[in-house]
Amino acid sequence: MNKKIRFFQSIHFKIALVFILLLLVTVEIIGAYFVRSLEQQNVETFKTSINLDPYLQEKLATDLMSDNESSADDNMKITISQADVANTATVVVVDDKGTVRATSNLNDQSNVGQKSASSNIKSVIYNGQSYEDYGYSDNTGSTYTRIIPIKNPNATGDGNAIVGAVSITAPMESVYANLNKIVKIFLIASLVAGLLGIFISIVISRAITRPIDEMKKQAIRMARGDYSGQVRIYGQDELGQLAVAVNNLSVRVEEAQEASEAERRRLDSVLAHMTDGVIATDRRGNVIIINETALDFLSTKNEDVIGVSILKLLNIAQDYTLRDLLENQKELLLDFSQQLDHELVLRVDFSLIQRETGFISGLVAVLHDVTEQQKSERERREFVSNVSHELRTPLTSMRSYIEALSDGAWQDPEIAPQFLKVTQEETDRMIRMINDLLSLSRLDSGTSKIELEYVNLNEFFNYILDRFDMMLKTDNARASADNNQHVQPAAAKKQYVLRREITKRDLWVEIDQDKFMQVIDNIMNNAIKYSPDGGVITARLLETHNHVILSVSDQGLGIPRSDINKVFDRFYRVDKARSRKQGGTGLGLAISKEVVAALGGRIWVDSQEGKGSTFYISLPYSPINDAGGDWDEA
Ligand code: ADP
């Protein structure tokens, strides 16, 4: 933009050139007119000076009419020598017969008495009219000749009044010499005027172009975004007013720029802090703006997506065209779980960016993360289907047994008690399941109240484990399961070795005793259920800086790595048939997880398939509150 302008293209040069040309043309026209007038005036003056005074003419007439020719000729010679004009001009007197009677040219006295060769003189004598003529010869240069008829002063009529003529021939050198001098002076004056004109025009054009140049520079700076400069104001003329206008414009543009910049920053920060993703495209569907949230959703970088088609970015090019999005502005549900390494379902709302004229200048897509919503929807659907399935199995089995009994098996003393036992077991399992479901539902809805109290976890854990030891000794599962519907028969009948690695310190922790006992019972029962007969079960309790960690390890089946995170899901069982056979509902660990979460803790499992599993529960614990012991002592 700021290309160097060549001198000959500049306004500076053009103004100077016009100014000089104007000056020269004016000077030349005036000069030509002036010289021409002067020449005419000089020639006129010269011509009027080429004349004979009337009294000399009278004298010549008298002599021409004299009969004594020789004395008359001498008189005429004297007369013409007295004329002023004779100093420069040659005066020749001719009589009415055409004979030269006197001449002022001393070198030409021989012509006196000769006939004049000039036909002009003859015609003047004949016509009685003056005659004038211009001549030129190499010897004399330009000459002017005037022939004046000499009339008889006493003659009354026109006839025979002409007695002769006087021819005056004068060189015009002096006239033109004067003119040449004036022309020379004039040329020198024009040259000086021209040089002065150049100087003045340069000064003037500089004065005009300097503010223009400054305004040009300011405009270029403004185009670059630099509004700091101000144009100098040289005067109150149009250029001065233009400079003021440019300065005002610069301030206005800066303000407008700042306002739009502030607006842009505000928009940027709104977009950056939005929890929804936003993508804006041009009218061809190519991305022009994308916010951080959208970049995070799509696990991509700004520079990789700018200019890319939104169809490609959202991976919907096979199913939709840009026209579909523009015309229908649909709401789409897009699952990105396969493209990305985590689960992600987005709801994308499209809307148009439209000008007042109705012209569509782009598209805005707002991305909402509906993964959790979708997940809970799915879980709810799965849950309902699982519950129906889980209840149908025992019911079907019971129906077949009851049918067999009603078909006559009730009379068979061998089979009848066995069939009744199975139906009773299935009923128990259903009751357990319904109880578990109720517990879960209460935990989910928050209706199950958590009654927190400070409990010495050390003592409490030992108490629970004592029950299992007792159960082992008495081998009477049902007796020990009075208060605990989670202790299942299969667990009770198995032989195992229970080891304790429990800290001696009192650990006062805030828990809901009933619910926490249910959790430990479930973990212990699982450990027994999934252990081989005679397996060792180790119960540990230790404290860290601000947690207590309780764990139960077994030497059982273990859990495959792929299932390790799913065992806390509702109805999830690694081996469904086996779990069901052992009376499991698949809800125990799900309830445990909810209870531990309600107590502010965490439950997790570490397992090696075929070697055993360890279930851990960590609960928040602050040693400062370890005042329970002091109260006991007090
Ligand atoms: P269930 O009533 O089937 O035991 P849980 O919710 O208590 O239901 O356990 C879910 C699943 O986790 C069980 O079916 C089992 O496959 C697995 N599991 C739980 N504890 C153990 C363990 N100690 N050893 C191996 N697998 C276990």
Side-chain angles (χ1 to χ4, degrees):
M1 190 169 178
N2 191 16
K3 219 176 74 184
K4 194 108 182 110
I5 300 171
R6 271 190 283 160
F7 177 70
F8 297 111
Q9 293 174 329
S10 66
I11 292 185
H12 193 142
F13 172 74
K14 285 174 190 164
I15 290 176
L17 185 72
V18 167
F19 198 79
I20 292 162
L21 285 179
L22 210 66
L23 193 79
L24 286 180
V25 168
T26 314
V27 166
E28 287 316 309
I29 289 172
I30 292 172
Y33 179 74
F34 174 71
V35 169
R36 181 85 191 118
S37 307
L38 201 66
E39 185 188 2
Q40 277 176 354
Q41 210 180 349
N42 278 6
V43 169
E44 279 309 311
T45 315
F46 174 75
K47 272 157 69 177
T48 45
S49 71
I50 305 304
N51 215 336
L52 272 185
D53 291 338
Y55 81 92
L56 291 177
Q57 285 188 34
E58 263 181 48
K59 257 181 150 182
L60 286 177
T62 316
D63 288 330
L64 281 171
M65 287 187 292
S66 164
D67 295 336
N68 187 352
E69 283 193 8
S70 74
S71 72
D73 288 354
D74 290 342
N75 283 343
M76 284 194 285
K77 197 175 165 188
I78 293 163
T79 307
I80 56 175
S81 69
Q82 285 172 348
D84 293 342
V85 77
N87 296 332
T88 51
T90 307
V91 183
V92 178
V93 182
V94 180
D95 63 14
D96 53 356
K97 294 177 191 75
T99 310
V100 175
R101 299 290 297 276
T103 174
S104 64
N105 189 348
L106 297 174
N107 304 326
D108 213 14
Q109 290 301 325
S110 55
N111 273 350
V112 175
Q114 305 281 318
K115 284 278 181 194
S116 168
S118 168
S119 60
N120 295 331
I121 292 177
K122 284 174 192 161
S123 64
V124 167
I125 293 166
Y126 183 73
N127 292 330
Q129 298 287 323
S130 281
Y131 170 82
E132 57 180 8
D133 190 21
Y134 300 92
Y136 181 82
S137 77
D138 290 341
N139 296 339
T140 54
S142 289
T143 52
Y144 173 73
T145 305
R146 179 188 277 261
I147 305 167
I148 310 159
I150 306 291
K151 293 178 183 167
N152 178 2
N154 304 320
T156 48
D158 278 349
N160 293 333
I162 307 297
V163 290
V166 178
S167 160
I168 309 165
T169 303
M172 292 185 81
E173 282 315 89
S174 61
V175 177
Y176 290 112
N178 272 346
L179 266 177
N180 282 346
K181 255 190 230 162
I182 288 166
V183 168
K184 239 184 233 166
I185 289 169
F186 194 80
L187 281 178
I188 290 167
S190 329
L191 198 72
V192 171
L195 288 174
L196 260 174
I198 290 173
F199 176 72
I200 292 168
S201 64
I202 286 172
V203 170
I204 289 174
S205 69
R206 253 187 80 78
I208 295 171
T209 54
R210 204 194 306 166
I212 295 177
D213 203 42
E214 281 194 21
M215 282 185 269
K216 182 196 85 179
K217 282 180 186 153
Q218 175 68 0
I220 290 168
R221 278 199 298 271
M222 276 162 68
R224 281 204 210 103
D226 173 11
Y227 304 98
S228 57
Q230 286 271 303
V231 182
R232 190 134 52 107
I233 297 158
Y234 290 93
Q236 291 304 313
D237 55 1
E238 288 87 339
L239 283 174
Q241 286 177 359
L242 183 62
V244 171
V246 167
N247 285 342
N248 286 344
L249 182 72
S250 160
V251 172
R252 289 279 149 74
V253 171
E254 186 174 13
E255 281 170 5
Q257 186 76 17
E258 269 171 15
S260 75
E261 191 63 24
E263 196 60 38
R264 200 183 58 77
R265 273 199 298 271
R266 209 172 305 143
L267 183 68
D268 277 356
S269 91
V270 168
L271 284 178
H273 294 102
M274 269 176 81
T275 49
D276 285 339
V278 177
I279 302 172
T281 74
D282 60 15
R283 65 195 178 86
R284 290 187 187 80
N286 297 328
V287 176
I288 48 176
I289 297 172
I290 181 164
N291 72 347
E292 277 298 320
T293 317
L295 289 171
D296 286 347
F297 281 160
L298 302 171
S299 296
T300 181
K301 282 188 277 179
N302 197 48
E303 54 270 27
D304 294 344
V305 296
I306 293 295
V308 172
S309 160
I310 192 164
L311 298 173
K312 203 173 148 206
L313 181 63
L314 298 178
N315 203 16
I316 51 172
Q318 296 97 327
D319 307 317
Y320 300 96
T321 62
L322 190 63
R323 182 170 282 274
D324 292 337
L325 301 184
L326 291 173
E327 282 175 0
N328 306 326
Q329 299 140 49
K330 273 192 200 156
E331 182 186 289
L332 300 180
L333 209 60
L334 303 175
D335 191 346
F336 289 89
S337 308
Q338 283 183 345
Q339 278 162 258
L340 307 168
D341 54 3
H342 56 271
E343 220 177 313
L344 180 71
V345 182
L346 294 178
R347 197 183 77 227
V348 188
D349 292 307
F350 292 96
S351 53
L352 299 179
I353 310 174
Q354 244 171 336
R355 294 199 193 138
E356 278 173 9
T357 52
F359 178 81
I360 296 169
S361 57
L363 196 66
V364 172
V366 179
L367 280 53
H368 309 276
D369 183 354
V370 290
T371 315
E372 282 305 314
Q373 208 176 315
Q374 290 289 308
K375 205 168 144 192
S376 61
E377 282 277 307
R378 196 180 59 232
E379 279 173 358
R380 197 179 50 77
R381 281 197 298 273
E382 279 175 6
F383 184 72
V384 172
S385 117
N386 281 338
V387 169
S388 337
H389 182 77
E390 292 294 334
L391 288 176
R392 202 178 57 192
T393 315
L395 282 171
T396 319
S397 131
M398 275 165 65
R399 192 173 73 178
S400 48
Y401 280 105
I402 290 166
E403 270 174 9
L405 285 170
S406 63
D407 282 351
W410 66 276
Q411 287 171 322
D412 189 330
E414 288 277 310
I415 299 170
Q418 209 180 323
F419 278 18
L420 283 172
K421 193 178 161 231
V422 174
T423 48
Q424 198 177 355
E425 273 174 12
E426 289 293 356
T427 315
D428 284 347
R429 201 158 78 84
M430 277 197 292
I431 291 170
R432 272 201 309 279
M433 193 182 293
I434 300 287
N435 283 336
D436 283 353
L437 281 171
L438 277 174
S439 307
L440 259 179
S441 146
R442 280 195 216 107
L443 282 166
D444 281 347
S445 63
T447 46
S448 166
K449 246 179 109 194
I450 302 281
E451 281 167 16
L452 292 176
E453 53 190 317
Y454 271 107
V455 174
N456 184 357
L457 200 63
N458 186 333
E459 206 176 284
F460 186 61
F461 194 30
N462 273 316
Y463 166 74
I464 300 171
L465 295 176
D466 287 346
R467 284 168 62 242
F468 277 89
D469 266 343
M470 189 71 76
M471 205 160 67
L472 196 61
K473 279 178 200 146
T474 58
D475 194 24
N476 186 351
R478 289 188 196 279
S480 68
D482 279 349
N483 299 324
N484 175 23
Q485 288 153 337
H486 290 274
V487 178
Q488 290 125 33
K493 284 173 189 161
K494 201 179 270 175
Q495 290 302 309
Y496 54 89
V497 179
L498 182 58
R499 282 200 192 132
R500 304 183 198 201
E501 291 176 15
I502 295 176
T503 176
K504 294 276 176 292
R505 280 173 59 90
D506 289 346
L507 300 172
W508 290 89
V509 182
E510 224 180 358
I511 53 168
D512 179 319
Q513 285 201 61
D514 284 349
K515 293 199 169 64
F516 197 64
M517 187 185 280
Q518 209 176 325
V519 172
I520 295 173
D521 276 350
N522 182 49
I523 290 175
M524 280 299 296
N525 275 316
N526 278 349
I528 298 163
K529 259 197 297 188
Y530 300 107
S531 281
D533 214 11
V536 179
I537 294 169
T538 315
R540 295 185 187 88
L541 179 65
L542 56 96
E543 61 173 305
T544 65
H545 174 56
N546 49 8
H547 283 98
V548 289
I549 297 174
L550 188 152
S551 68
V552 175
S553 305
D554 63 55
Q555 296 176 325
L557 296 169
I559 303 164
R561 183 156 284 279
S562 56
D563 294 317
I564 214 143
N565 290 323
K566 298 179 194 160
V567 293
F568 297 100
D569 290 352
R570 292 166 192 196
F571 293 114
Y572 192 84
R573 284 163 293 193
V574 176
D575 182 345
K576 275 197 179 355
R578 186 191 167 113
S579 163
R580 201 171 286 134
K581 213 171 83 199
Q582 291 184 326
T585 60
L587 292 170
L589 284 179
I591 295 174
S592 303
K593 189 181 165 192
E594 295 294 335
V595 171
V596 172
L599 296 175
R602 200 163 76 84
I603 181 166
W604 71 99
V605 61
D606 194 6
S607 180
Q608 254 187 316
E609 208 178 349
K611 293 207 168 158
S613 322
T614 305
F615 280 81
Y616 297 92
I617 295 172
S618 89
L619 290 173
Y621 161 69
S622 50
I624 305 155
N625 291 338
D626 193 6
D630 295 342
W631 292 350
D632 280 353
E633 281 162 26

